[in-house]
Amino acid sequence: MASLSALLLRGPSLLRPCPQLSAARTYAAGGDFKYIISEKKGKKNNVGLIQLNRPKALNALCQPLINEMNQALMTFQEDPSIGAIVLTGSEKSFAAGADIKEMSDKTLQFCYSEKLLKGWDNMSQVTKPIIAAVNGFALGGGCELALMCDIIYAGENAQFGQPEILIGTIPGGGGTQRLTRVVGKSLAMEMVLTGDRISAQEAKQAGLISKIFPVEKLVEEAIQCAEKIANNSKIVTQMAKESVNAAFETTLAEGIRLEKKLFFSTFATDDQKEGMSAFVEKRKANFKDN
Ligand code: CO8
């Protein structure tokens, strides 16, 4: 995925750094990070965990944080031992949105010429499944970041919202599009036009998230789900993700055609042979990701 590497690493470096700096630390999954923690998790070390780590600013998303997150994502994407990724924040805040202090004085000319938010949706290009584990605030860009993930698990204290209207702007990371496709027009409009937040329970009812857990159990549960995914065939998992995502981008007829082609394609893999043989022979499948 050389082109993906380039894509993930892209992003303006001219923006000023976040005001709150924590000490740089080195983690297994890639480089010296100041705003995130990145490590391998799971019994087989096959889950990549990225924790946003800018607690004083409630994990407000500044450009250097996004650059580091993209770097960690790229490392996990290219690591053949990693089968799924978990993205989380702190128990108080997943992410309170884009860094308003960093953005506040930008001009329209800057946005176009320097490309504000460049690289912020690179996550949607990652082919490995990503689970968002959301405790606390997922507001503005934080909610949009969660929406770019494939599965959202929430802690009981989670709050989702698109409050951009309250600061004189609108969602810029897919909030009006992904949120609307997921929860429908009325609730999305209400959230975007009023800035009101919804609770974990309301998010579950609306289909925005799949499960709710006690705050302190959330990340563990997300890692367990990621392990389940990572234990399956990575190549077939990638096809499954591609096919589900097509439901958001194509007509039903095109989506059904793509699904059929991908289904047929699984028959070209060793893992399909292994999976079906294992079922017939009443044993556990041993996928080799081929
Ligand atoms: N940007 C910068 N700093 C922030 C942000 C933010 N989004 N959110 C919180 N902070 C900082 C506060 O300034 C404060 O710092 P300091 O102590 O230095 O003053 C610290 O975090 C703690 O915040 P509060 O004191 O306000 O904590 P409260 O518990 O009282 O309130 C809230 C928490 C409700 C989360 C409140 O901080 C808030 O409303 N934050 C702003 C939420 C918001 O408007 N988010 C949308 C931002 S715009 C956006 O996201 C555009 C997205 C573009 C695309 C992104 C693609 C991925």
Side-chain angles (χ1 to χ4, degrees):
M1 295 295 295
S3 59
L4 181 65
S5 315
L7 182 72
L8 288 170
L9 282 173
R10 224 163 47 192
S13 55
L14 299 174
L15 298 170
R16 67 175 183 267
C18 297
Q20 290 93 353
L21 299 182
S22 58
R25 285 177 278 180
T26 305
Y27 295 95
D32 293 327
F33 293 133
K34 290 176 182 166
Y35 307 108
I36 66 163
I37 296 170
S38 169
E39 48 193 329
K40 290 186 179 186
K41 289 284 188 185
K43 290 184 197 79
K44 296 182 188 163
N45 259 349
N46 56 2
V47 172
L49 175 69
I50 300 174
Q51 182 183 4
L52 307 182
N53 186 34
R54 201 189 165 203
K56 284 189 191 144
L58 302 178
N59 289 331
L61 305 167
C62 57
Q63 188 65 49
L65 180 151
I66 295 291
N67 293 347
E68 289 188 1
M69 186 187 74
N70 284 344
Q71 193 185 333
L73 283 171
M74 179 199 68
T75 304
F76 288 139
Q77 171 75 20
E78 293 189 347
D79 182 339
S81 70
I82 295 294
I85 298 164
V86 173
L87 177 71
T88 194
S90 68
E91 289 195 352
K92 188 170 178 197
S93 181
F94 177 72
D99 188 321
I100 299 168
K101 294 166 191 167
E102 188 183 68
M103 264 189 317
S104 60
D105 63 352
K106 296 292 177 282
T107 61
L108 175 69
Q109 289 80 354
F110 174 89
C111 294
Y112 273 95
S113 65
E114 300 287 342
K115 298 192 173 61
L116 186 75
L117 302 183
K118 190 176 175 187
W120 283 48
D121 62 354
N122 288 359
M123 171 182 285
S124 58
Q125 308 294 324
V126 174
T127 60
K128 292 181 181 178
I130 307 175
I131 302 170
V134 176
N135 269 323
F137 302 115
L139 304 179
C143 187
E144 291 169 317
L145 204 57
L147 280 161
M148 284 179 222
C149 297
D150 301 302
I151 297 171
I152 307 178
Y153 277 7
E156 285 161 342
N157 68 346
Q159 293 183 41
F160 297 84
Q162 297 291 163
E164 289 90 342
I165 199 80
L166 304 176
I167 55 167
T169 185
I170 70 167
T176 63
Q177 302 303 302
R178 291 193 182 94
L179 183 68
T180 307
R181 280 167 168 77
V182 171
V183 305
K185 180 174 172 181
S186 182
L187 182 56
M189 262 314 176
E190 190 182 358
M191 289 171 72
V192 168
L193 298 185
T194 66
D196 284 353
R197 303 176 212 154
I198 60 171
S199 66
Q201 285 297 343
E202 289 166 310
K204 172 94 169 55
Q205 208 174 2
L208 175 59
I209 63 173
S210 57
K211 289 199 173 89
I212 303 175
F213 296 100
V215 170
E216 64 286 358
K217 288 259 173 228
L218 173 71
V219 175
E220 189 186 316
E221 293 284 349
I223 290 171
Q224 276 178 28
C225 175
E227 279 185 283
K228 263 191 216 171
I229 293 169
N231 288 338
N232 294 328
S233 163
K234 293 188 184 63
I235 184 164
V236 177
T237 295
Q238 191 174 324
M239 291 183 201
K241 171 169 168 166
E242 185 182 347
S243 195
V244 173
N245 276 336
F248 293 93
E249 284 162 12
T250 59
T251 62
L252 180 61
E254 284 167 357
I256 297 283
R257 265 197 299 277
L258 176 72
E259 181 192 76
K260 195 65 59 63
K261 283 180 187 156
L262 288 167
F263 172 71
F264 291 159
S265 300
T266 65
F267 285 76
T269 66
D270 293 343
D271 284 345
Q272 173 270 332
K273 299 287 173 287
E274 165 62 11
M276 294 195 184
S277 303
F279 176 82
V280 174
E281 293 160 16
K282 299 189 185 302
R283 62 176 174 81
K284 203 171 173 302
N286 180 18
F287 295 120
K288 297 274 171 45
D289 306 321
N290 287 314

